[in-house]
Amino acid sequence: MRIAYVFLGAFLAIAPSAYAEVAPPPVLKPLERQADAALLSAQFLSRYSYKPVALDDALSARVMDGFIKSLDPDRMLFLQADIDKFMADRSKIDDAIERKDLKIPFAIFNAYEQRVADRMTYARSLLKQGFDFSVKEDYAVLREKAPWPQSEAESNELWRKRVKSDWLRLKLGGKADAAIRETLDKRYENTLERVYKFKSDDVFQSFMDAYSNAIDPHTDYFGAAASADFNVSMKLSLFGIGAVLQERDDYTTIRELVPGGPAQLSGKLAVGDRITGVGQGKDGPIKEVVGTRLDEVVQMIRGKKGTVVRLDILPADAGADATHRVVSLVRDKISLDKQAAKKTVLSVKAGDATRKIGIITLPVFYEDFDAKNKGDKDYKSASRDVAKLLEELSQENVDGVLIDLRNNGGGSLDEAIDLTGLFIGKGPVVQQRAGNGKIVVKSADFSAPAWTGPMGVLINRGSASASEIFAAAIQDYGRGVIIGEPSFGKGTVQTVVDLDEVVHNSKPELGELKVTISQFFRVNGGTTQLRGVTPDISLPGLSDPASFGETSYDNALPWAEIKPAKYTPEGDVAALVPALQSRHDARVKSDPGFQRLIEDIAELKAQREKGVVSLNEAERRKEAAAREKRFKDRAEASDGEDPTGDDGLQSDERSLSADIAMENARKKAKDVLLDEAAAIVGDEADLQQGGVKAATTQTGKTKGN
């Protein structure tokens, strides 16, 4: 996902100024320092990126396309005539940057501002008349590839359906008409007010987002104000919920959950969830924040340690027909203790035996750099903590170990290498290639492994970077079985460059660049980039590969391959995979919990892909009733287990059961998938003890992607 600190306009339809009854928005103009920053960024990115991209007509076109998409992602704002006018300058941005001329993006943005003002005024006028929900008509919600409206009349019709859809969603959620009118009027007013708050730096930040992301998905530009805010406001490092937020499609969206933070520990939030309202305390009213600036939402979420903040959430998995739910979180500060690795022991049936499997959950590859630099011999780190847990599990006589890396987005590379060393002892773990082609091999150096028995690694789409390095090394060495979903696929390394330091500025004016400088490769020669790590045994996942993961970026760096490193595999777990797969298939086929999870995932997938929703109230209520009946029937079929039971939400804040079931699908996925992964490691132990032991291969290359 890409950070966007300003205005994305999914809720904004279009029209000329016929409906405008407000003063025109201010005309924003570029500043000299912005032109300097754009040129310096272009010079740097075209020379020093891992894959330098020349500032030419082709890049100019990609930047233009990205900039327009960021303003009007659902093609409900600009008219086709607007786009035709913009496209006349599509190949001129490169020359304009060279001339230090930013008139093109600013002209587009000023047109955007006027469209927003027109549309919000029109939208608020629609609220006065109400809607007839007995009419049979549909609204297309997936418009990313739809044509822009050709006329004012077509634009008006699109926006009428948009407002009607917003109204019906709230009506189905139980709100009265007066409350709906007030809520939507405030929502559109928020968006209108933002138009008058935009500053020149907001326009420039959005333009540079489009430019930097046109290089690759992980290259970013932070203006002076944005870079100052990033570590404080955007990460809510001062007593917040522990989340990295971004603005996307007019919503404040969760980009990342910080391990050990209130949001991650609650289990109630997920990456991609959209925050539509914020309330203070257990009983304070929830203020609508759709259309509100990101920095303002951040300030509302932050507060004193120990106080409660309530978030009105539209779930990431929710389709266009979904309703909201409210979760309560207690503000706190992130600490290493809350990020620490933890262990549990599960007993699983494997063949005719019962096996004890030690599970180590690692949310992030952490390391206390300050304590380490001060010479503290007992400094805290992921590998050190896992080593202690492995020793404890050995004393408990477990038959196998499962490392749970789901949603572990990475962290310290050194810790990933040392963690690998706990299972292989000595040997290369990862290769890193710089832009100049130089390859450095990074190795673990332990006198002996801390654990030599059967082991597995559980990953999902949220396992990225350092997690992928560890899982790939375990797979390449044949040391353990990889279980779960294909991982994220981020196989690149970034560094931050202070542009003011480059030109020896005494004060911050030009901002910073986050630049891709190198790429990771496995010891077998393949990269973790794009494809990620492919599990030996696949488990179903809740995430959408089309919107989450490296493959969701249309300009991600491609998969590549170099020479394998010199390494000696510890075994050949691949030889066990057919037998493990057979046992897994037989087990889950008769596991009602696993089968219900598959049904839940299918339901979520169908909701995500539902491109059209009915605007007929009776039809929508019929659909909702059918969903509720499915969940009720499922509860009765599972010996009274209630899928809408312990949802962790306040009783008076629950929405329709379909959305509660979504939340529970996440929780069930954790439990069901973890149990099955442990059973697979139990099978691995059983097969190895029974004589189907993994034989060490003599080649320097093993199967794995």
Side-chain angles (χ1 to χ4, degrees):
M1 294 185 181
R2 301 170 185 175
I3 295 177
Y5 291 103
V6 292
F7 57 82
L8 298 185
F11 287 108
L12 312 177
I14 67 163
S17 57
Y19 300 96
E21 299 174 354
V22 296
V27 176
L28 300 174
K29 298 180 180 180
L31 306 176
E32 182 178 347
R33 59 176 169 78
Q34 294 166 349
D36 291 338
L39 179 58
L40 183 58
S41 296
Q43 293 171 340
F44 199 95
L45 293 173
S46 63
R47 297 176 189 175
Y48 302 113
S49 291
Y50 177 67
K51 291 289 186 182
V53 179
L55 180 61
D56 55 16
D57 288 356
L59 180 60
S60 175
R62 293 204 300 274
V63 174
M64 172 71 84
D65 293 346
F67 185 52
I68 292 174
K69 184 176 181 180
S70 74
L71 299 174
D72 190 12
D74 286 338
R75 302 190 175 193
M76 292 185 66
L77 174 58
F78 295 122
L79 288 170
Q80 183 62 55
D82 295 324
I83 300 302
D84 293 340
K85 182 179 180 180
F86 300 154
M87 289 299 107
D89 293 326
R90 191 165 179 258
S91 63
K92 299 178 182 178
I93 291 178
D94 54 333
D95 299 321
I97 290 177
E98 293 283 1
R99 297 194 309 269
K100 296 187 178 183
D101 182 356
L102 298 179
K103 291 189 183 71
I104 293 174
F106 273 77
I108 293 173
F109 186 82
N110 284 321
Y112 163 87
E113 280 190 308
Q114 186 59 57
R115 295 300 192 206
V116 174
D118 291 344
R119 286 297 80 196
M120 291 306 100
T121 303
Y122 176 52
R124 297 177 77 185
S125 72
L126 291 174
L127 297 175
K128 298 175 183 178
Q129 61 192 46
F131 298 95
D132 181 0
F133 295 107
S134 66
V135 177
K136 290 197 172 184
E137 61 179 349
D138 297 327
Y139 172 59
V141 294
L142 299 181
R143 290 188 43 83
E144 190 172 301
K145 297 181 180 179
W148 275 275
Q150 298 292 320
S151 65
E152 176 185 337
E154 188 177 333
S155 165
N156 287 345
E157 178 65 2
L158 273 175
W159 192 242
R160 180 189 68 82
K161 289 186 175 182
R162 174 74 239 190
V163 177
K164 187 174 182 179
S165 177
D166 288 346
W167 187 302
L168 182 55
R169 176 184 287 177
L170 294 175
K171 186 178 181 69
L172 294 172
K175 283 199 172 188
D177 285 353
I180 293 173
R181 183 175 285 109
E182 181 182 356
T183 296
L184 292 182
D185 188 65
K186 184 59 179 176
R187 177 180 300 181
Y188 305 145
E189 183 185 26
N190 284 345
T191 302
L192 180 61
E193 288 178 350
R194 293 176 67 203
V195 169
Y196 297 89
K197 295 180 181 179
F198 285 139
K199 302 174 183 177
S200 179
D201 281 340
D202 293 327
V203 186
F204 183 63
Q205 178 67 56
S206 184
F207 171 66
M208 290 302 293
D209 283 342
Y211 182 9
S212 60
N213 291 158
I215 304 297
D216 74 66
H218 304 291
T219 292
D220 287 301
Y221 172 81
F222 304 107
S227 60
D229 284 343
F230 187 70
N231 286 326
V232 178
S233 296
M234 298 307 122
K235 288 204 172 186
L236 306 183
S237 57
L238 299 177
F239 302 140
I241 62 172
V244 180
L245 304 178
Q246 70 181 87
E247 191 171 325
R248 186 172 185 175
D249 302 350
D250 228 25
Y251 283 113
T252 296
T253 305
I254 296 177
R255 172 178 171 143
E256 175 187 337
L257 294 176
V258 180
Q264 186 264 334
L265 292 173
S266 74
K268 301 175 187 176
L269 295 171
V271 171
D273 280 354
R274 291 155 284 181
I275 300 172
T276 63
V278 179
Q280 306 300 330
K282 295 181 179 180
D283 305 312
I286 292 180
K287 181 180 179 182
E288 168 95 14
V289 295
V290 177
T292 303
R293 285 177 61 102
L294 178 61
D295 52 358
E296 294 178 13
V297 178
V298 167
Q299 291 302 321
M300 293 171 65
I301 294 175
R302 291 172 61 192
K304 293 182 179 180
K305 180 179 179 180
T307 58
V308 172
V309 61
R310 291 156 62 242
L311 306 179
D312 192 334
I313 297 294
L314 183 61
D317 299 321
D321 196 19
T323 51
H324 300 222
R325 56 188 171 82
V326 177
V327 299
S328 297
L329 299 171
V330 178
R331 297 178 175 101
D332 201 355
K333 192 171 184 178
I334 313 303
S335 67
L336 277 178
D337 289 339
K338 293 180 180 178
Q339 296 178 339
K342 295 179 176 60
K343 72 174 176 69
T344 56
V345 176
L346 284 182
S347 294
V348 299
K349 189 74 173 176
D352 296 326
T354 298
R355 304 285 180 180
K356 289 172 62 178
I357 305 301
I359 299 171
I360 296 178
T361 302
L362 186 65
V364 67
F365 286 86
Y366 54 89
E367 184 176 24
D368 190 341
F369 294 104
D370 291 338
K372 182 179 180 181
N373 292 334
K374 291 177 181 177
D376 185 347
K377 294 182 180 180
D378 295 321
Y379 71 89
K380 196 171 185 62
S381 78
S383 61
R384 287 179 166 220
D385 287 348
V386 171
K388 294 175 184 176
L389 296 178
L390 288 172
E391 184 177 351
E392 293 173 10
L393 290 172
S394 295
Q395 294 173 356
E396 295 178 49
N397 296 315
V398 297
D399 298 290
V401 169
L402 175 67
I403 306 296
D404 184 358
L405 296 182
R406 288 175 297 172
N407 300 317
N408 181 322
S412 168
L413 173 61
D414 290 342
E415 285 303 305
I417 293 170
D418 285 348
L419 189 70
T420 306
L422 295 178
F423 298 95
I424 69 166
K426 291 185 178 182
V429 173
V430 65
Q431 305 184 80
Q432 188 171 332
R433 182 173 72 179
N436 60 9
K438 183 179 179 181
I439 297 172
V440 175
V441 179
K442 297 181 179 291
S443 302
D445 189 18
F446 285 72
S447 58
W451 176 261
T452 58
M455 63 92 62
V457 184
L458 179 58
I459 58 175
N460 66 2
R461 195 67 169 172
S463 305
S465 196
S467 291
E468 297 176 287
I469 290 170
F470 171 76
I474 294 298
Q475 190 175 57
D476 290 345
Y477 274 89
R479 181 63 188 84
V481 59
I482 310 301
I483 307 163
E485 299 174 78
S487 58
F488 190 94
K490 184 182 182 298
T492 55
V493 183
Q494 286 73 38
T495 191
V496 176
V497 178
D498 188 324
L499 296 178
D500 289 297
E501 289 185 1
V502 171
V503 297
H504 307 295
N505 267 359
S506 59
K507 60 179 181 179
E509 290 184 332
L510 304 180
E512 299 176 334
L513 278 176
K514 180 161 70 74
V515 187
T516 299
I517 57 170
S518 60
Q519 185 172 354
F520 289 128
F521 289 84
R522 304 167 63 138
V523 293
N524 74 357
T527 181
T528 54
Q529 170 63 20
L530 195 62
R531 298 182 187 177
V533 178
T534 302
D536 301 307
I537 305 292
S538 295
L539 297 180
L542 292 167
S543 59
D544 180 13
S547 61
F548 184 49
E550 198 76 8
T551 53
S552 68
Y553 303 123
D554 55 14
N555 65 332
L557 291 177
W559 186 87
E561 192 172 17
I562 61 176
K563 291 182 179 179
K566 294 181 179 179
Y567 71 104
T568 303
E570 298 293 321
D572 186 13
V573 169
L576 299 177
V577 169
L580 293 174
Q581 185 72 54
S582 178
R583 289 191 178 194
H584 161 69
D585 292 341
R587 182 167 46 245
V588 300
K589 187 177 182 180
S590 59
D591 181 347
F594 199 93
Q595 294 304 314
R596 286 196 299 273
L597 173 61
I598 292 176
E599 292 175 12
D600 287 340
I601 291 172
E603 172 76 12
L604 296 182
K605 185 174 185 292
Q607 288 195 34
R608 279 197 296 257
E609 295 175 353
K610 189 177 182 181
V612 176
V613 295
S614 172
L615 296 179
N616 181 277
E617 182 178 355
E619 289 183 7
R620 291 278 283 274
R621 290 196 182 279
K622 184 178 178 181
E623 292 171 2
R627 285 196 300 268
E628 290 205 35
K629 185 177 185 303
R630 283 200 301 273
F631 298 131
K632 183 177 180 181
D633 292 345
R634 184 176 302 171
E636 293 174 352
S638 57
D639 297 326
E641 177 189 348
D642 182 5
T644 65
D646 183 17
D647 53 32
L649 307 180
Q650 296 180 25
S651 60
D652 61 343
E653 295 175 338
R654 293 178 182 169
S655 59
L656 296 181
S657 63
D659 299 299
I660 299 171
M662 276 187 195
E663 176 65 19
N664 280 280
R666 292 174 179 164
K667 295 181 180 180
K668 288 180 185 175
K670 271 194 169 185
D671 296 336
V672 171
L673 299 181
L674 186 65
D675 290 349
E676 178 55 27
I680 291 169
V681 176
D683 288 338
E684 179 188 0
D686 188 63
L687 290 170
Q688 288 188 359
Q689 186 172 356
V692 194
K693 291 190 176 181
T696 302
T697 63
Q698 298 302 314
T699 64
K701 193 171 183 179
T702 59
K703 181 181 179 182
N705 295 318

